[in-house]
Amino acid sequence: MHQWDEIKIEFKSDGSLRDIYVENIEVFEWDNFLDFLRSSKYKLKFSHGEQSIEIPESFGLIRELQGTEPTTLFIWLNDNIQLNCHFFISNEIELDLSPYDFNDESEYLTLIEFLESLSAALKKKVILTHEGMQEQIILSITNY
């Protein structure tokens, strides 16, 4: 794992987001992702269009909702760090985060804790990249 001093440049605010990916997943792994979040310590909010609703029980139900309005799952790792999941495609989990949320080592370590927990829960590699650039990996976590 990179130390904060080595990697903080990757969190320099440049107007773009950073992306978290879990690639090559099946629908049941989306459901495992949702279960992981529900049982986690993180604050969650799910929106369907402009309405805040309960997180659906399955990825299939989320996809049905997307037929009428966009969906977003907001995940707060702490009071400052917010991740967003838009459920873009079925074979990949993508979360985005703002580098503005990362100003010191403690915030970085909070992110690392989440990435390691996610990797362990899904038994998959989790990567952090620059926005829309999956080939430009900032971090790769395999924790299973």
Side-chain angles (χ1 to χ4, degrees):
M1 178 183 75
H2 296 286
Q3 298 301 312
W4 173 244
D5 286 339
E6 300 168 332
I7 201 164
K8 65 183 175 183
I9 190 70
E10 301 293 350
F11 291 90
K12 184 178 180 200
S13 301
D14 59 5
S16 68
L17 299 173
R18 303 299 178 266
D19 291 330
I20 298 167
Y21 292 101
V22 183
E23 301 171 309
N24 303 314
I25 64 164
E26 304 289 331
V27 170
F28 78 89
E29 290 167 308
W30 268 108
D31 294 339
N32 291 348
F33 170 68
L34 295 170
D35 291 342
F36 159 73
L37 291 174
R38 276 192 210 86
S39 66
S40 74
K41 64 183 178 182
Y42 305 115
K43 179 182 168 192
L44 307 172
K45 178 184 169 190
F46 187 85
S47 70
H48 178 233
E50 297 296 317
Q51 282 192 314
S52 180
I53 63 171
E54 288 293 318
I55 300 171
E57 288 297 314
S58 70
F59 179 67
L61 292 173
I62 292 170
R63 295 299 277 188
E64 285 179 27
L65 289 171
Q66 287 179 318
T68 58
E69 294 281 344
T71 59
T72 306
L73 176 60
F74 304 96
I75 306 157
W76 285 271
L77 304 187
N78 62 22
D79 290 340
N80 299 323
I81 302 171
Q82 177 184 324
L83 308 179
N84 308 301
C85 181
H86 302 284
F87 306 93
F88 290 130
I89 59 176
S90 62
N91 66 347
E92 171 182 276
I93 295 171
E94 179 184 341
L95 307 166
D96 61 45
L97 57 95
S98 172
Y100 290 107
D101 294 346
F102 296 86
N103 299 302
D104 61 35
E105 184 175 24
S106 68
E107 291 163 336
Y108 171 66
L109 293 175
T110 297
L111 176 64
I112 294 299
E113 177 187 0
F114 173 78
L115 298 176
E116 288 176 344
S117 297
L118 180 59
S119 175
L122 299 181
K123 296 183 177 27
K124 293 280 193 174
K125 178 172 69 170
V126 178
I127 60 172
L128 174 71
T129 72
H130 290 275
E131 184 175 17
M133 299 183 194
Q134 283 173 269
E135 68 283 350
Q136 290 187 5
I137 297 172
I138 298 168
L139 286 172
S140 178
I141 305 281
T142 304
N143 191 32
Y144 54 91

